[in-house]
């Protein structure tokens, strides 16, 4: 059977940004096959399930997954179509594919300095950096309980890591740092938490296998502050599930819009799922105004990591830079009415810039 990419557009703006992204995919990688499946509320509507069996079968035969977004309007979360939609789709997918590593690149666009919360001179000093977040362990997956003790409710969530979980992401992080600037910052709370002390020990042990990489540690509270004060110091950052969740969202504010942020998740065998960092933005749905960059950059990550097509990935990034440099923007990043382009209009420009 011919290898293919499983495409799961999902809900909200997912289908529209995915349709536009696939126009670019067909141009830069015309030999790849894309097969579409249902996920999230769209799947529930058709099958009564957020992650139906047909979708599991589709992804089991795929080389990679290109995912859109799932979920309904925040004020309709109690409706059956949307209830637990994210958990039933995304967490179920992560579990099904055993995804344990999440990669979030943070890219600074000189043309978009004005939309960043950073001062211009700070923004200009920033280098692109990458955050790696462990996805399968920590407080999200440890024992949980709510019990009555001394006549009041007590809730517990256990933060737990074993050595092999940490080793798996440590190797990824050191290998990525080796391909970049040989600098790795590991984030933990080793002054207080035993799970962080184990995290730090495994990072130190793994460092012996990568003598070219300089490993430093940052406590998570300090890291949160440094991300805002001095983001130019970061190149590759690695963190556990909870701290990685928080610092990657904080870092995504720096370039200026969630609509710019792609992400990739991998399992230990290197199988990848690629998706925008943001959600389904229901208020923008069907208006042809959403920013397609996060989806498009997720495609670029997929071409690079799952298909080793660095040239196609860099073609996409150059075409985006050119469009932004010429002043074209979707509404979320535009300053003036005259700059505004639609979702499909932005992709028309990308296609034009690729030629
Ligand atoms: P959201 O990420 O959908 O939107 C947050 C803000 O970012 C909104 O102002 C939205 O307009 C803007 N935004 C997001 N993507 C954009 C884009 N491509 N272009 C322009 N603006 C963009 O988060 P939310 O509003 O909290 O949640 C909406 C729904 O999305 C909920 O049902 C939630 O469960 C779901 N969600 C899904 C995912 C996912 O699929 N991975 C992630 C987060 C939230």
């Amino acid at each position: 059977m011919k290898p293919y990419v499983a495409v799961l557009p999902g809900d909200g703006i997912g289908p529209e940004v995915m349709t536009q992204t696939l126009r670019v995919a067909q141009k830069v990688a015309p030999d790849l096959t894309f097969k579409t499946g249902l996920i999230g509320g769209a799947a529930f509507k058709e099958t009564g399930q957020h992650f139906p069996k047909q979708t599991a079968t589709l992804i089991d035969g795929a080389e990679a997954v290109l995912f859109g977004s799932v979920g309904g309007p925040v004020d309709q979360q109690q409706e059956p179509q949307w209830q637990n939609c994210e958990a039933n789709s995304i967490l179920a997918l992560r579990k099904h594919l055993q995804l344990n590593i999440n990669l979030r690149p943070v890219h600074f666009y000189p043309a978009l300095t004005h939309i960043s919360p950073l001062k211009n001179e700070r923004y200009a000093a920033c280098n692109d950096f990458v955050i790696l977040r462990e996805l399968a362990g920590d407080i999200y997956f440890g024992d949980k309980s709510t019990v009555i003790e001394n006549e009041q409710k007590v809730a517990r969530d256990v933060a737990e890591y074993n050595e092999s979980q940490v080793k798996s992401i440590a190797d990824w992080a050191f290998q990525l740092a080796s391909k970049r600037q040989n600098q790795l910052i590991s984030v933990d709370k080793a002054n207080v938490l035993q799970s962080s002390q184990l995290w730090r020990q495994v990072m130190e042990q793994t460092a012996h296998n990568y003598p070219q990489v300089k490993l430093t540690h940052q406590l998570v509270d300090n890291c949160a502050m440094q991300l805002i004060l001095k983001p130019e110091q970061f190149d590759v950052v690695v963190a556990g599930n909870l701290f990685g969740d928080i610092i990657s969202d904080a870092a995504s504010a720096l370039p200026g819009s969630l609509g710019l942020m792609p992400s990739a998740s991998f399992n230990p065998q290197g199988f990848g799922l690629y998706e925008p960092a943001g959600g389904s933005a229901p208020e923008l749905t069907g208006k042809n105004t959403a920013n397609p960059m996060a989806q498009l950059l997720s495609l670029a990550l997929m071409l690079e990591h799952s298909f080793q097509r660095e040239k196609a990935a860099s073609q996409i990034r150059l075409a985006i830079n050119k469009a932004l440099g010429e002043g074209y923007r979707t509404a979320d990043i535009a300053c003036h009415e005259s700059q505004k382009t639609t979702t499909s209009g932005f992709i028309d420009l990308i296609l034009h810039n690729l030629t």
Side-chain angles (χ1 to χ4, degrees), residues 192-205:
V192 180
L193 302 177
Q194 295 214 8
S195 52
S196 278
Q197 287 158 14
L198 178 67
W199 175 276
R200 197 176 274 215
Q201 275 167 23
V202 176
M203 287 292 157
E204 293 281 358
Q205 284 158 9

Side-chain angles (χ1 to χ4, degrees), residues 108-131:
F108 295 88
Y109 296 90
L112 298 183
T113 311
H114 58 285
I115 59 162
S116 171
L118 296 170
K119 285 187 180 144
N120 286 358
E121 59 274 24
R122 182 63 72 198
Y123 192 96
C126 282
N127 304 307
D128 291 354
F129 64 94
V130 183
I131 296 179

Side-chain angles (χ1 to χ4, degrees), residues 13 17 67-74 77 82 86 90 257-260 275-284 289-294 330 332:
I13 58 168
V17 291
F67 185 93
S69 51
V70 292
V74 276
Q77 298 292 324
W82 305 122
E86 231 184 300
I90 298 173
S257 169
L258 207 50
L260 306 173
E275 61 178 324
S280 57
E283 74 282 8
L284 304 181
T289 55
N291 191 336
M293 277 177 59
T330 45
D332 58 318

